[in-house]
């Protein structure tokens, strides 16, 4: 029975594709544009092990959103506690993220939501290959609200004037394929995305994802990812957050204590609120959610405030500066450099 794989191409892509097409038991699904990978259904993968056109072959594994404990509670507020906790409002007189392009690699965005209307500049549905990136899960909309909501009297995000781009790579159940994640990263490169939020992860290393994220980082995109929700099981940081060029974000609660579910390890970079976070939801409503998925967009929003305040700053310098905007909370393996603190940007 055929399984789906990522084939690492060592030679010319067209020649490699021709080899795949001619070989029985191989169905080519996609050839990546910026990266040397072919996605294919393969019946017998051994053919690729020693072929001179290919360097490596690995399963196109599943990846998931980092949502910890769904809740239907509604807590009306003006500026939510979590946005105040990272001191974003203090920065708004100087920077609101205006002019910065933030990609949300997720389940899509409910772009007609009252708190997001006018702030979603575009997007793409990688799964269907269409322009319809409407969120059919809710997760991507929640993440987007934390980054950029602006609904006076109802909800504010960290950087309420950014241009959001919904890159739909996850299905209605919050699941996706590595190959679609890579396609989403390619879309971000092609569309000049400056910050890419990835509130998703897998505990399985994938060489193709490592290559794609590293190349995106080298092109100047600030990559932010949730660390994972395996803390209670002693789980390590998920990928892509575990890659050193990706900002790995863990979650804290209102008391600035690490959320029990927040994954730990030496690779944690920074913490942000991730427990009981109220944000936008599909269908025009609001919802309270928990998870490192909710922590990561605080950092993406913070990166937008930095870039908007310092137009000439490179993505690499902004990424290093962002991690420095933190207050130490506890052991490095649990808290990284500490809680995100944007207050210095207000000066």
């Amino acid at each position: 029975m055929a399984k789906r794989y990522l084939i690492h191409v060592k030679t010319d892509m067209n020649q490699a594709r021709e080899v795949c097409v001619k070989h029985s038991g191989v169905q080519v699904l996609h050839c990546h544009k910026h990266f040397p990978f072919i996605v294919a259904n393969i019946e017998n993968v051994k053919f690729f092990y020693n072929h001179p056109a290919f360097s490596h072959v690995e399963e196109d594994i599943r990846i998931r959103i980092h949502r910890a404990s769904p809740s239907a509670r509604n807590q009306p507020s003006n500026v939510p506690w979590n946005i105040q906790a990272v001191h974003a409002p203090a920065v708004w007189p100087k920077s609101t993220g205006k002019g910065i392009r933030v990609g949300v690699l997720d389940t899509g965005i409910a772009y007609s939501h009252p708190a997001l209307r006018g702030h979603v500049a575009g997007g793409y549905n990688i799964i269907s290959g269409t322009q319809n990136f409407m969120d059919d899960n809710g997760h991507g909309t929640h993440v987007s609200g934390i980054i950029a909501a602006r609904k006076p009297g109802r909800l504010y995000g960290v950087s309420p004037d950014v241009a959001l781009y919904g890159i739909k790579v996850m299905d209605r159940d919050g699941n996706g394929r590595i190959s679609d994640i890579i396609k989403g990263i390619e879309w971000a490169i092609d569309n000049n995305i400056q910050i890419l939020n990835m509130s998703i992860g897998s505990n399985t290393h994938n060489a193709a994802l490592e290559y794609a994220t590293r190349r995106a980082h080298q092109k100047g995109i600030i990559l932010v990812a949730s660390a994972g929700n395996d803390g209670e099981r002693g789980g390590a940081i998920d990928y892509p957050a575990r890659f050193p060029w990706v900002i790995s974000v863990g979650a804290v609660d209102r008391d600035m204590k690490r959320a029990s579910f927040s994954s730990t390890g030496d690779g944690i970079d920074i913490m942000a609120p991730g427990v009981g976070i109220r944000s936008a939801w599909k269908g025009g409503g609001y919802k309270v959610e928990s998870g490192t998925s909710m922590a990561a967009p605080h950092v993406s929003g913070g990166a937008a405030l930095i870039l908007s305040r310092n137009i000439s700053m490179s993505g690499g310098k902004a990424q290093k500066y962002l991690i420095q905007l933190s207050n130490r909370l506890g052991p490095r393996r649990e808290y990284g450099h500490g809680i995100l603190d944007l207050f210095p940007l207000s000066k």
Side-chain angles (χ1 to χ4, degrees):
M1 182 178 177
K3 291 178 68 176
R4 187 159 153 166
Y5 289 89
L6 278 156
I7 308 165
H8 294 234
V9 176
K10 191 161 57 174
T11 58
D12 178 75
M13 177 64 81
N14 291 329
Q15 293 177 358
R17 185 183 185 282
E18 193 67 23
V19 171
C20 293
V21 169
K22 289 182 177 180
H23 188 72
S24 61
V26 178
Q27 177 192 14
V28 174
L29 301 175
H30 179 74
C31 296
H32 283 282
K33 177 181 177 182
H34 290 287
F35 312 124
F37 310 128
I38 294 174
V39 185
N41 289 328
I42 304 173
E43 291 183 4
N44 184 4
V45 74
K46 291 181 180 179
F47 166 76
F48 294 92
Y49 287 167
N50 298 308
H51 196 286
F54 311 107
S55 61
H56 184 55
V57 60
E58 58 188 340
E59 188 175 344
D60 187 9
I61 61 174
R62 295 281 184 179
I63 197 164
R64 64 190 185 280
I65 57 177
H66 283 149
R67 180 185 182 194
S69 53
S71 169
R73 278 189 304 128
N74 194 343
Q75 297 178 343
S77 65
N78 187 10
V79 179
W81 75 268
N82 49 294
I83 304 301
Q84 296 188 43
V86 298
H87 300 124
V91 187
W92 293 341
K94 299 286 182 67
S95 174
T96 56
K98 190 174 181 64
I100 305 303
R101 300 162 70 90
V102 181
V104 181
L105 200 71
D106 215 292
T107 61
I109 303 176
Y111 39 81
S112 59
H113 194 287
L116 297 172
R117 192 180 296 132
H119 299 291
V120 182
Y124 195 74
N125 188 327
I126 299 296
I127 299 171
S128 65
T130 68
Q131 300 293 331
N132 181 16
F133 57 92
M134 178 61 76
D135 188 1
D136 53 5
N137 175 281
H139 186 270
T141 300
H142 200 276
V143 166
S144 298
I146 297 168
I147 296 172
R150 182 194 280 272
K151 183 66 174 175
R154 292 290 288 170
L155 188 70
Y156 280 97
V158 174
S159 50
D161 282 330
V162 301
L164 285 173
Y165 290 81
I167 310 171
K168 183 171 173 56
V169 294
M170 313 297 278
D171 62 22
R172 66 175 60 248
D173 297 318
N175 298 314
R177 291 273 191 180
I178 288 289
S179 57
D180 286 334
I181 305 304
I182 293 171
K183 285 185 194 178
I185 295 172
E186 288 181 314
W187 191 93
I189 292 171
D190 283 340
N191 288 274
N192 301 313
I193 297 301
Q194 295 163 277
I195 302 161
L196 191 59
N197 189 91
M198 301 179 288
S199 289
I200 56 177
S202 168
N203 56 18
T204 302
H205 175 267
N206 182 272
L209 182 62
E210 179 177 356
Y211 180 97
T213 53
R214 185 173 64 247
R215 285 294 301 275
H217 170 72
Q218 290 169 347
K219 288 181 177 292
I221 299 178
I222 298 174
L223 303 172
V224 180
S226 46
N229 299 337
D230 291 326
E232 291 174 331
R233 295 182 290 275
I237 304 165
D238 274 355
Y239 299 100
R242 205 188 301 187
F243 298 132
W245 45 85
V246 178
I247 300 176
S248 174
V249 188
V252 295
D253 59 20
R254 282 177 180 256
D255 297 322
M256 300 299 112
K257 300 294 185 183
R258 181 182 67 85
S260 60
F261 56 75
S262 187
S263 294
T264 61
D266 293 332
I268 292 289
D269 289 311
I270 199 165
M271 307 297 281
V275 179
I277 307 301
R278 179 179 177 273
S279 187
W281 197 253
K282 65 175 183 175
Y286 300 85
K287 200 170 184 182
V288 174
E289 292 278 284
S290 297
T292 54
S293 273
M294 286 65 244
H298 291 84
V299 176
S300 294
L305 295 182
I306 292 173
L307 290 180
S308 183
R309 182 89 196 274
N310 304 275
I311 297 299
S312 62
M313 184 178 286
S314 69
K317 286 185 177 179
Q319 187 160 328
K320 291 178 181 178
Y321 178 47
L322 179 64
I323 294 173
Q324 293 173 5
L325 294 176
S326 57
N327 291 322
R328 188 174 176 84
L329 293 175
R332 181 71 182 273
R333 283 182 54 82
E334 293 186 38
Y335 292 94
H337 292 274
I339 178 73
L340 174 67
D341 182 6
L342 298 170
F343 189 77
L345 288 177
S346 67
K347 301 175 182 177

